[in-house]
Amino acid sequence: MSSPEWKPIAKPSYAPVVVYPTFLQTLLSNLFKDLRLEWRSKDAINAMLFFALLVAVIFSFAFAPTPEEARQMVGGLVWVAVLFASIVALNQSWARELRNQALDAYRISRASPNALFLGKAIGNFIFVSALELVIAPLFIVFFNLRALGSTTALILVFVAGTWAIVINGTFFGAMSLRTRSRELMLPLLLFPISIPALVLMVNVTTAVLTGEGATRRPLDLLIVYDIVFTTVCLLLFETVLHAE
Amino acid sequence: MNKKLVFFALVTLGLLLYALIQSLYDAPHEETMGDIQRIFYYHVPSAFVAFAFFFANLLASLVYLKNRSPAADSFALATAEVGVVFCTIVLITGPLWAKPVWGIWWTWDARLTSTLLLWLIYVSYLILRRFSSGGQTPVLAAVLSVFGSVDVVFVYMSIRWFRTQHPQPVIGGGEGSGLNPAMGYALLANVVAFFAFSALLVWLRYRLERSRQQLDELHALAAERGSINAS
């Protein structure tokens, strides 16, 4: 049996056919990569959870409030706990890009920098939201809470507030990656910028928990804060990624 | 020594002396607050200078992001440093005045809190400059300056939920506001003198930073030629 003679069926084309992924595909692959890495290691989420638990316990020892006092202060405490704990996740999320020069490879590729940034920001948003879902019951138990105001406002403020922390946190995480002692640098950059958002978040949360005070206007302003800072981040991320 | 710089320094010295005499001797005695009111002639001009230089820092940062000129970066650094110094003066002279007049050192009202947060943002700007290395510093700093400026708007709006205790603007405020003309003159003299003094500081700091940049360039050039022993 002789081997059949090989004949080209069609005239071969040597022009490479390359399909570049779209912005959304790049974004989603960045996001799913982060989620998969976190699902396998669970580094950030475990560290964040334990950290937030410690903050909750230390606060309840440090202040030992009556239920009425607790109502007044928990709005502040829960956001401070979330802000401090989210630093852990934000630092982790960029540190893993440094292994094997993954970030440098990304920089020389033609993929959109904003796809990377948004993918990371959404990933961090999911991690911090998961953290909140776990520590909110803890605060309710430790401080005997019951919402007297609108629950919708409470949910809205948690979504908008978490995004406010995460969007700036992801941006400044990328920035502090470029500095010496980078883990230390992130809170130093993030906290001053986040203070106005924190004021609004605490105002709304306290208003819901005590059932007194307006939630509408601070909530609107918080949403404007989110929109403005998301825009600024998207405009400037490429500059930071390519800073030399 | 630069002749223009020496001349400007002498003019500044003259202005400062004149403003000092104006505020401590010529300005009339305030009826309710007494001599404590005279801190006003340092507090208000310092605030003007700090805010003006933070704004100049934003402009210089935007110019740097646009054309990456080292001069713009030096100017941004100089204005941020001098701005922080004058903002610190505002934050120190404020409580010194408030304790005898209000009876408290500090209150979380809109204007005090905004000024404090502005100070925090620019201190973090200076820390970032200190902690980042090499050619990245100017870019990162310019980006942070843009963030800080956007943030200031939100600081002012979000803090309005706090009660305001700071005196209403006395100049160009509503009816019943306004300064005694002699006081207004002393204030004006101090504003001019403080602007001249702070401009002098920015000038000196700018020159220093430019020299440092040029020195760095020379070092890099020399290292390239191999004339520096890497020991």
Side-chain angles (χ1 to χ4, degrees):
Chain A
M1 224 179 121
S2 64
S3 61
E5 200 177 329
W6 183 81
K7 271 185 188 169
I9 303 162
K11 194 182 168 192
S13 152
Y14 295 107
V17 179
V18 182
V19 180
Y20 292 108
T22 62
F23 182 85
L24 190 66
Q25 283 169 329
T26 319
L27 190 160
L28 288 179
S29 61
N30 271 313
L31 172 62
F32 289 136
K33 174 211 66 179
D34 273 354
L35 293 181
R36 200 154 47 232
L37 277 170
E38 185 55 38
W39 182 252
R40 286 179 187 162
S41 72
K42 302 189 182 64
D43 281 351
I45 199 86
N46 281 339
M48 264 199 316
L49 275 176
F50 192 58
F51 189 85
L53 172 68
L54 288 176
V55 172
V57 173
I58 287 173
F59 278 165
S60 49
F61 280 128
F63 298 110
T66 64
E68 205 37 56
E69 290 165 349
R71 223 171 264 295
Q72 296 286 342
M73 27 185 271
V74 165
L77 299 190
V78 76
W79 280 114
V80 170
V82 169
L83 186 64
F84 285 2
S86 61
I87 294 291
V88 178
L90 294 165
N91 268 328
Q92 287 266 329
S93 87
W94 285 107
R96 62 167 74 108
E97 294 295 327
L98 289 179
R99 278 176 232 145
N100 306 322
Q101 278 79 44
L103 194 62
D104 288 334
Y106 198 95
R107 284 166 66 192
I108 56 174
S109 79
R110 52 182 292 153
S112 158
N114 281 343
L116 172 68
F117 175 73
L118 272 182
K120 271 219 182 298
I122 295 171
N124 287 329
F125 180 77
I126 294 172
F127 300 149
V128 177
S129 302
L131 164 84
E132 285 164 2
L133 287 179
V134 179
I135 63 160
L138 274 178
F139 272 87
I140 293 175
V141 171
F142 282 166
F143 295 97
N144 296 305
L145 293 176
R146 192 163 48 87
L148 297 178
S150 130
T151 327
T152 326
L154 195 63
I155 293 169
L156 272 176
V157 76
F158 267 90
V159 173
T162 308
W163 184 253
I165 293 177
V166 159
I167 189 81
N168 283 338
T170 310
F171 191 90
F172 288 121
M175 221 151 121
S176 52
L177 205 64
R178 296 325 204 42
T179 60
R180 293 195 297 276
S181 54
R182 50 181 97 97
E183 310 262 305
L184 176 70
M185 204 57 214
L186 175 60
L188 298 187
L189 296 176
L190 179 62
F191 289 172
I193 298 283
S194 296
I195 290 174
L198 197 71
V199 168
L200 299 169
M201 287 158 358
V202 172
N203 255 288
V204 179
T205 314
T206 308
V208 171
L209 290 177
T210 56
E212 293 158 11
T215 57
R216 184 62 204 276
R217 275 179 61 210
L219 202 52
D220 285 352
L221 189 56
L222 185 60
I223 291 168
V224 175
Y225 178 97
D226 283 355
I227 295 169
V228 169
F229 274 95
T230 307
T231 315
V232 178
C233 287
L234 291 178
L235 284 176
L236 290 173
F237 183 70
E238 193 173 355
T239 313
V240 168
L241 187 69
H242 292 295
E244 268 314 324
Chain B
M1 200 63 185
N2 188 329
K3 271 185 190 162
K4 273 188 231 163
L5 193 59
V6 174
F7 177 72
F8 187 60
L10 288 174
V11 170
T12 302
L13 192 64
L15 282 171
L16 280 174
L17 280 174
Y18 179 71
L20 183 74
I21 295 164
Q22 282 297 315
S23 53
L24 292 188
Y25 295 101
D26 288 4
H29 190 78
E30 218 273 348
E31 275 181 23
T32 47
M33 290 185 257
D35 279 337
I36 293 161
Q37 181 266 342
R38 291 182 197 275
I39 209 165
F40 167 80
Y41 301 118
Y42 297 93
H43 181 74
V44 176
S46 301
F48 284 176
V49 166
F51 296 150
F53 281 157
F54 289 150
F55 187 63
N57 171 269
L58 170 68
L59 295 182
S61 300
L62 289 174
V63 169
Y64 180 80
L65 284 177
K66 184 116 176 57
N67 63 13
R68 305 284 156 117
S69 97
D73 179 56
S74 305
F75 189 65
L77 173 63
T79 47
E81 283 187 354
V82 176
V84 165
V85 169
F86 279 92
C87 201
T88 312
I89 295 176
V90 173
L91 289 172
I92 292 172
T93 51
L96 286 180
W97 173 87
K99 182 66 181 166
V101 175
W102 288 343
I104 44 172
W105 292 110
W106 183 264
T107 172
W108 292 100
D109 100 320
R111 219 170 299 188
L112 275 69
T113 313
S114 311
T115 310
L116 178 65
L117 291 191
L118 196 64
W119 185 84
L120 288 176
I121 288 169
Y122 275 93
V123 170
S124 85
Y125 174 92
L126 293 181
I127 291 176
L128 174 70
R129 290 202 76 115
R130 177 58 60 88
F131 272 84
S132 56
S133 51
Q136 301 173 357
T137 311
V139 181
L140 299 184
V143 168
L144 184 60
S145 165
V146 174
F147 266 83
S149 312
V150 175
D151 207 54
V152 169
V153 179
F154 283 98
V155 167
Y156 196 76
M157 280 157 59
S158 64
I159 309 283
R160 276 188 316 184
W161 275 275
F162 289 107
R163 192 161 52 91
T164 283
Q165 189 166 16
H166 192 278
Q168 287 306 303
V170 265
I171 305 139
E175 265 178 59
S177 74
L179 280 174
N180 176 323
M183 286 182 177
Y185 185 72
L187 179 66
L188 182 70
N190 272 285
V191 169
V192 172
F194 270 58
F195 264 101
F197 179 50
S198 56
L200 179 70
L201 293 179
V202 168
W203 192 350
L204 288 167
R205 186 67 186 88
Y206 172 81
R207 273 166 53 102
L208 184 64
E209 181 62 15
R210 289 294 285 158
S211 311
R212 195 197 58 74
Q213 281 175 352
Q214 283 155 6
L215 195 63
D216 276 359
E217 278 168 27
L218 288 177
H219 272 300
L221 213 63
E224 210 169 87
R225 290 192 191 137
S227 60
I228 284 181
N229 288 330
S231 53

